[in-house]
């Protein structure tokens, strides 16, 4: 009986040891976290201090790329573009094409609209990805110092009676408009109280800075082209 008890104890200890060791073995990981850096950097001429405004809702899509064995349908998600640098997503290991675009397709808005993407990104570990972007927007700005606080500048697209108010950022009133859009800018200058009007046709990727000519009816339009490059 004593020998039988010793044998049972030995078997139990062996089984417990095997169970403990098996539990300690790491399970193979087949999902990884993908995150996005800023989707792009907008650069202008050296003397241009305007900083492009990101915002609004964006849609992001992940598609299996090339001869990848993934067969799942496209993975779609939404993201607040102000918080794009904090975006994270768990995906099955594989190769992906990534597409990101802003939701807004309006004639004007108070943030830059763009499409961005990256092709054949291999996901075999946690990874941060930078996307290359393009935009069809132009931006129009007027220094806050020139504007009467009683009324914001407005933009009226040609052929309509709609008025779109400028946003306010970087000490400028601003508005983004689709490239090739024509319209009229209206604003009241703070020191004279005079109403200024300016007709303009915006070209994509151009920044138009508007200044009133005091004691006259005209304005000065300073235009510079901005360029988009991948984030670092």
């Amino acid at each position: 009986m004593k020998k039988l008890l010793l044998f049972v104890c030995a078997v139990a200890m062996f089984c417990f040891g095997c169970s403990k060791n098996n539990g300690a073995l790491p399970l193979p990981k087949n999902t990884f976290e993908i995150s996005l850096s800023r989707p792009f950097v907008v650069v202008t001429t050296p003397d241009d201090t305007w900083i492009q405004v990101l915002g609004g809702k964006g849609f992001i899509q992940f598609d299996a790329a090339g001869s990848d064995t993934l067969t799942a349908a496209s993975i779609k998600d939404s993201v607040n573009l102000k918080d794009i640098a904090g975006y994270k997503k768990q995906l099955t290991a594989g190769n992906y094409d990534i597409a990101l675009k802003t939701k807004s397709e309006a004639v004007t808005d108070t943030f830059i609209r763009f499409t961005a993407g990256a092709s054949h990104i291999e996901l075999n570990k946690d990874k941060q990805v930078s996307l290359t972007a393009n935009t069809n927007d132009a931006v129009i700005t007027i220094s806050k110092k020139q504007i009467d606080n009683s009324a914001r500048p407005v933009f009226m697209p040609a052929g309509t009676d709609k008025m779109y108010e400028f946003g306010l950022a970087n000490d400028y009133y601003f508005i983004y408009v689709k490239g090739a859009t024509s319209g009229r800018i209206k604003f009241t200058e703070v020191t004279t109280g005079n109403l200024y009007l300016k007709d303009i046709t915006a070209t994509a990727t151009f920044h138009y800075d508007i200044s009133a000519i005091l004691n006259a009816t005209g304005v000065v339009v300073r235009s510079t082209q901005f360029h988009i490059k991948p984030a670092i």
Side-chain angles (χ1 to χ4, degrees):
M1 177 63 78
K2 186 174 181 181
K3 289 183 178 180
L4 179 61
L5 288 174
L6 289 173
F7 175 77
V8 170
C9 289
V11 170
M13 289 179 68
F14 175 80
C15 291
F16 175 76
C18 289
S19 175
K20 184 176 180 181
N21 288 336
N22 287 338
L25 291 174
L27 295 175
K29 185 176 180 181
N30 64 350
T31 63
F32 298 94
E33 182 178 88
I34 193 166
S35 59
L36 300 180
S37 59
R38 288 189 305 166
F40 56 84
V41 177
V42 180
V43 294
T44 57
T45 54
D47 60 339
D48 195 340
T49 58
W50 173 252
I51 301 171
Q52 304 291 354
V53 178
L54 284 177
K57 191 174 184 180
F59 295 122
I60 188 166
Q61 181 169 316
F62 303 91
D63 291 300
S67 59
D68 197 278
T69 57
L70 292 173
T71 58
S74 297
I75 299 169
K76 300 179 181 180
D77 204 357
S78 61
V79 58
N80 184 335
L81 292 168
K82 286 185 178 179
D83 305 322
I84 187 66
Y87 177 82
K88 292 178 173 54
K89 186 75 173 178
Q90 288 284 336
L91 296 174
T92 303
N95 296 305
Y96 291 90
D97 292 333
I98 306 172
L100 171 66
K101 67 176 182 178
T102 44
K103 178 181 179 181
S104 172
E105 296 181 356
V107 174
T108 73
D109 223 316
T110 52
F111 47 79
I112 192 168
R113 281 78 57 83
F114 63 88
T115 59
S119 298
H120 214 84
I121 298 299
E122 184 179 5
L123 187 64
N124 54 16
K125 61 181 179 179
D126 293 347
K127 180 175 290 187
Q128 186 178 68
V129 177
S130 296
L131 306 181
T132 301
N134 293 290
T135 184
N136 190 42
D137 271 354
V139 63
I140 303 169
T141 61
I142 308 173
S143 173
K144 180 183 175 184
K145 297 177 181 178
Q146 294 191 52
I147 303 301
D148 191 315
N149 291 330
S150 63
R152 290 192 177 211
V154 296
F155 180 80
M156 299 176 59
T160 75
D161 57 0
K162 293 182 178 180
M163 295 190 294
Y164 297 92
E165 286 191 346
F166 281 49
L168 180 61
N170 310 326
D171 291 325
Y172 284 86
Y173 285 100
F174 73 97
I175 196 164
Y176 288 94
V177 299
K178 283 186 176 181
T181 298
S182 298
R184 173 166 290 181
I185 301 161
K186 297 174 62 176
F187 65 95
T188 302
E189 199 275 325
V190 64
T191 58
T192 63
N194 291 337
L195 177 65
Y196 285 80
L197 306 175
K198 177 61 180 177
D199 292 331
I200 191 170
T201 298
T203 300
T205 71
F206 268 79
H207 173 196
Y208 299 92
D209 188 49
I210 309 296
S211 301
I213 302 174
L214 299 184
N215 302 316
T217 58
V219 301
V220 174
V221 180
R222 173 178 169 268
S223 64
T224 54
Q225 187 170 16
F226 60 82
H227 305 277
I228 293 178
K229 65 180 182 179
I232 297 173

